[in-house]
Amino acid sequence: LSSKGKNWTGQAGLYGESIDANNDSLDESWGANSRITFAPIDEKTRIVHLGIAGNYRRPSGSGQLFGPSNGVRFRHETSHITNLFPIDSGALGNVDNITMLGLEANGVYGPFSAGGEYTHSWIGRRDGLDSLSFHGWYGEAAWTLTGESRQYKEGKFHRVEPTRNFSFSKGGWGAWELATRVAGVDLNDGALRAGEMTNFTAALNWYVNSNIRFMFNYDRILAIKDSPLVTASGGKPDDLNTFMFRSQIAF
């Protein structure tokens, strides 16, 4: 369900599992979520965006580990193709419910944009196990070198639309964007030491036209604790850098 006004949006949803065989769980999972946004300033090149989101989930089989698909796991991957996880909770069993609350704020002023988000999760557990509390955050800023503003509509930010598409014959260069982000996540709580990490990302994005873009990212882990990754001497991973190039065609 969703609704919207001149400068606000609201959504709420109720979700269940996909319709397939469920042979190793006591029951099926379900979840409910909601998000509300408000833009006190919503002009073409000047935007202030505020938002709050939350969800509640009951995992399949109440988080019992009766099969390989059960349990709840929190982890961070350096990129979607590396299969390298600097922090990892492993499978958490006996999970009764997961509650999440997120706060967001963004601003756009001409070719400049900045924003951030904070998310906190509470995990309730069964059989006398202590509840868990995790949180994560990020702050980011971007500058479109060719002067375009980020697109914003109905509480969502969209990709940059070049003023002049790249063309050898017409002399256009598309849109070029520099971006940076600092982020952190803490999966340590009580006896569970799943890892704590802060990382830095720098990016260069080239929007060739409205359908094609190329992205180059550099990511460096600034600080890390209790990582499942260790060096040969048993210490924390040092100088963990990730370089990634991605091309995208959007329809």
Side-chain angles (χ1 to χ4, degrees):
L1 300 173
S2 65
S3 185
K4 63 183 179 180
K6 181 179 179 181
N7 59 354
W8 64 270
T9 69
Q11 302 92 28
L14 181 65
Y15 303 88
E17 285 189 3
S18 58
I19 302 175
D20 55 12
N22 192 4
N23 299 320
D24 53 11
S25 297
L26 293 177
D27 53 27
E28 294 185 349
S29 64
W30 64 272
N33 68 8
S34 181
R35 180 174 181 256
I36 299 171
T37 70
F38 174 60
I41 300 176
D42 186 1
E43 302 173 0
K44 187 174 182 180
T45 60
R46 292 199 314 146
I47 299 163
V48 173
H49 162 92
L50 304 172
I52 182 170
N55 65 55
Y56 177 85
R57 300 180 184 180
R58 294 294 295 266
S60 178
S62 300
Q64 300 284 350
L65 296 176
F66 288 110
S69 64
N70 287 291
V72 177
R73 190 174 191 177
F74 296 83
R75 57 183 179 173
H76 168 77
E77 190 175 16
T78 54
S79 79
H80 69 286
I81 57 176
T82 60
N83 200 31
L84 184 66
F85 300 93
I87 56 176
D88 189 347
S89 71
L92 301 174
N94 296 307
V95 173
D96 179 71
N97 61 79
I98 304 169
T99 304
M100 185 277 286
L101 176 67
L103 303 174
E104 58 190 85
N106 295 81
V108 174
Y109 187 79
F112 301 98
S113 64
E117 187 172 355
Y118 174 82
T119 301
H120 204 112
S121 293
W122 296 267
I123 298 93
R125 306 181 76 186
R126 295 179 177 272
D127 297 337
L129 294 174
D130 291 336
S131 297
L132 298 171
S133 177
F134 302 145
H135 69 267
W137 59 270
Y138 72 83
E140 63 183 12
W143 174 29
T144 308
L145 304 176
T146 44
E148 293 88 349
S149 292
R150 291 190 68 186
Q151 302 293 308
Y152 178 80
K153 184 179 180 180
E154 297 179 359
K156 298 179 181 179
F157 286 91
H158 302 274
R159 62 183 182 272
V160 173
E161 296 283 350
T163 301
R164 300 180 65 191
N165 292 338
F166 174 75
S167 172
F168 283 115
S169 60
K170 299 180 181 180
W173 287 98
W176 290 79
E177 180 183 48
L178 286 174
T180 184
R181 171 186 286 191
V182 178
V185 62
D186 186 355
L187 299 182
N188 288 340
D189 187 18
L192 179 69
R193 316 306 291 175
E196 181 179 351
M197 181 183 72
T198 304
N199 68 330
F200 167 81
T201 303
L204 175 63
N205 302 315
W206 180 25
Y207 301 84
V208 179
N209 51 46
S210 297
N211 304 103
I212 299 174
R213 68 172 172 171
F214 299 101
M215 295 156 281
F216 175 79
N217 279 20
Y218 164 69
D219 183 273
R220 179 180 177 84
I221 293 182
L222 302 177
I224 192 167
K225 293 171 57 179
D226 302 308
S227 173
L229 303 178
V230 296
T231 63
S233 61
K236 68 179 184 180
D238 297 320
D239 300 326
L240 210 166
N241 303 292
T242 303
F243 298 87
M244 184 171 68
F245 174 77
R246 180 182 179 187
S247 57
Q248 183 182 59
I249 299 176
F251 298 94

